[in-house]
Amino acid sequence: MNKKKILIIEDEIKIGRFLQLELQHEGYIVDIEQDGRQGLEKALNEEYDLILLDVMLPSLNGMEILRRLRLASQVPVIMLTAKDDVMDKVMGLDRGADDYITKPFAIEELLARIRVVFKHKRIDSFKPNIIQVGNLILDMDQYSLTYDKNPIDLTKKEFDLLKYLMLNKGLVLTRDNILEKVWGYDYIGDTNIVDVYIRYLRSKIDDKYNKKFIHTVRGVGYQLKDE
């Protein structure tokens, strides 16, 4: 059984060393970085099973590290911080942290939370990355879409848009929400792009197979459902 590899990004030397020794005693392989930018670089360029991430760090804070990390990786992250403000916890979890523990903490509690994270990751690894709505099947690993076993060719943006709709099946999504999640915060261009791509998807799925999946909610946005 391969040993789990953990990266600690913590600028307090005594805390970092204490965590390293305790985790090594539990059988983990442990690296430490005290600088935020160097920690992010290490996290992005090496393979880790878990990152223990402090919030208050020199050169780059933990929240920004987490934001940038989530653009490229889904490695589990547990936030370690002296801050116990509710909004800090909410921000960390919203940005993709798997758990959040405030200092001071008992090492036994941290070890238990680490075991929970690894247990969830193990369960998730058995789940195929497939979304199905009726006879419409989207395979995220193969980047493919089929309807009743018939392949449907999609561009990358069409695929991303349909994936977002299918993941939120039954929910009414606004144009602004779709634009933000599929095209990104920094998108600059025609806001009608959402309507254009919805038409593309309808022509390839709804119209071709005479099956209405994508519904317009007037004055609001769109909803995907199987009727």
Side-chain angles (χ1 to χ4, degrees), residues 50-162:
L50 174 70
I51 295 175
L52 301 181
L53 177 63
D54 190 20
V55 171
M56 303 302 291
L57 292 164
S59 77
L60 200 65
N61 69 56
M63 293 298 181
E64 181 60 17
I65 290 173
L66 181 60
R67 186 190 72 81
R68 297 187 190 186
L69 185 63
R70 281 294 174 255
L71 295 174
S73 171
Q74 291 302 313
V75 60
V77 174
I78 297 178
M79 305 291 287
L80 303 177
T81 179
K83 290 191 172 185
D84 59 359
D85 184 79
V86 172
M87 288 310 298
D88 287 312
K89 293 182 180 180
V90 170
M91 183 183 296
L93 295 171
D94 281 348
R95 291 195 176 188
D98 294 81
D99 203 349
Y100 197 115
I101 188 168
T102 55
K103 304 172 186 175
F105 53 83
I107 188 64
E108 291 80 9
E109 180 183 1
L110 176 60
L111 293 173
R113 292 185 184 224
I114 289 173
R115 289 193 294 270
V116 169
V117 167
F118 285 147
K119 180 181 178 181
H120 288 168
K121 186 179 180 183
R122 190 165 62 248
I123 292 171
D124 289 343
S125 67
F126 290 102
K127 295 179 181 177
N129 286 322
I130 290 175
I131 314 170
Q132 182 168 358
V133 177
N135 289 332
L136 198 63
I137 299 176
L138 185 141
D139 188 324
M140 291 184 281
D141 289 333
Q142 299 298 320
Y143 235 79
S144 65
L145 175 70
T146 59
Y147 177 79
D148 200 18
K149 299 183 180 180
N150 297 304
I152 301 172
D153 291 329
L154 298 179
T155 66
K156 182 181 184 304
K157 194 58 67 178
E158 290 168 352
F159 185 93
D160 291 343
L161 173 57
L162 183 63

Side-chain angles (χ1 to χ4, degrees), residues 3-7 29-31 46-50:
K3 288 186 176 182
K4 300 290 187 183
K5 191 174 180 182
I6 297 175
L7 172 63
I29 299 170
V30 186
D31 289 339
E46 298 188 30
E47 291 289 331
Y48 290 100
D49 298 291
L50 174 70

